[in-house]
Amino acid sequence: ILVSEPGRAFLHEQLIEYIWPDTGYDQALSFLRARIHNLRQKLEPNSKSSHSIIETIAGGYRFRLTDECHIDTIQFAKLLKQAERAKEEEAYAEALELYERAIERYGGEYLPEDRYEEWARDWRRLFEGMYVQALVDLAECCVCEGQHRRAVELCRQAYTLDPYSEDIYRNAMTYAHLMGNSNQALRIYEECCEVMRAEQGKDPDRDTKTLRDQIASGHVPGIDPEYKRPVIL
């Protein structure tokens, strides 16, 4: 909880409500102090400093970032910002590398051992959303570098995690079409149909159907002619 928001002060009452909501306050406070003591020993076993990275503040605690402290979620977010900046500047090769490093840093579901803890749910959704968007943006960079096949696979990964986002299906369909594989694009449309009908009881929206019809006819207006030709891998 503390590491999820470095620098934020959490009061005893907040931490107790998160972890021991059904325990009497005095007993829960004793549990909390013991947990903080153990946490400090694990994080700084050899520290002789009185300035712990788990700081005691009036009525609570906070996590203090130091130069020696590396948190994967912070590094993930930092790499994504750098990648987004490179993409905006059309430095696609640089953006590719940065997105790949960010995706590697993500490493999977946030705190899976706390999957059912209410305090962790918002953070899990946030980081998963950032990861999905990173896959989508990386796919776009791949297309700009002529790597259409990889772009389609990245979109598949993205809509597996976010199966109701038709924008991602449309991206995958477009990239498959650009690669010259209209049959694959139409299969992706059918995947979208199956998910929407099974889970939401409806067909894909008009934009997705229109793209499907355009691909089936062999002509998709508005495709950027500046995309690089596909790289055959």
Side-chain angles (χ1 to χ4, degrees):
I1 295 168
L2 297 175
V3 172
S4 293
E5 295 188 71
R8 174 185 168 183
F10 286 88
L11 298 178
H12 295 148
E13 291 83 355
Q14 291 173 293
L15 296 170
I16 287 171
E17 181 62 27
Y18 282 143
I19 307 172
W20 301 284
D22 301 320
T23 304
Y25 180 80
D26 290 342
Q27 184 178 16
L29 182 60
S30 176
F31 290 162
L32 176 61
R33 286 171 173 161
R35 183 73 61 88
I36 291 292
H37 175 74
N38 291 337
L39 183 58
R40 283 171 170 159
Q41 287 188 320
K42 287 184 178 297
L43 290 175
E44 300 179 287
N46 302 314
S47 175
K48 299 188 183 337
S49 171
S50 59
H51 302 290
S52 172
I53 58 175
I54 304 295
E55 290 185 311
T56 299
I57 50 97
Y61 305 97
R62 70 180 166 204
F63 190 91
R64 181 174 63 89
L65 281 176
T66 67
D67 292 338
E68 295 78 23
C69 181
H70 300 282
I71 300 176
D72 53 2
T73 52
I74 291 178
Q75 293 174 340
F76 171 61
K78 187 181 296 185
L79 285 166
L80 283 185
K81 285 188 177 179
Q82 293 171 353
E84 289 162 7
R85 192 177 307 117
K87 179 172 173 283
E88 289 172 2
E89 296 171 356
E90 299 184 0
Y92 297 117
E94 179 184 355
L96 272 168
E97 180 185 355
L98 289 165
Y99 278 122
E100 286 168 350
R101 288 171 58 193
I103 286 169
E104 182 181 1
R105 179 63 62 184
Y106 175 71
E109 180 183 354
Y110 183 67
L111 298 179
E113 66 275 15
D114 294 309
R115 183 173 292 118
Y116 304 109
E117 297 295 335
E118 185 175 349
W119 67 267
R121 289 174 187 167
D122 289 344
W123 286 106
R124 185 173 300 108
R125 293 191 192 102
L126 171 66
F127 290 126
E128 185 173 281
M130 291 167 65
Y131 175 66
V132 168
Q133 188 61 50
L135 293 172
V136 171
D137 290 342
L138 176 56
E140 184 178 345
C141 292
C142 284
V143 171
C144 291
E145 289 292 291
Q147 300 176 25
H148 296 66
R149 189 185 305 277
R150 187 178 178 210
V152 172
E153 290 307 312
L154 287 164
C155 287
R156 284 188 182 280
Q157 293 177 45
Y159 67 64
T160 297
L161 292 170
D162 187 4
Y164 309 127
S165 179
E166 292 192 41
D167 286 347
I168 305 176
Y169 291 99
R170 288 195 292 269
N171 286 356
M173 291 166 64
T174 301
Y175 300 156
H177 174 72
L178 283 169
M179 190 169 61
N181 194 338
S182 295
N183 287 335
Q184 183 181 25
L186 297 176
R187 286 196 298 270
I188 292 168
Y189 174 78
E190 292 303 323
E191 289 181 49
C192 180
C193 287
E194 289 176 9
V195 170
M196 296 303 160
R197 290 167 183 165
E199 302 297 332
Q200 297 191 332
K202 65 177 186 178
D203 288 331
D205 65 28
R206 183 172 58 185
D207 289 343
T208 309
K209 291 179 182 177
T210 298
L211 179 59
R212 185 264 176 210
D213 293 342
Q214 291 170 343
I215 290 172
S217 72
H219 176 61
V220 181
I223 291 292
D224 188 349
E226 308 235 341
Y227 278 135
K228 291 187 178 180
R229 293 178 63 80
V231 175
I232 305 302
L233 298 175

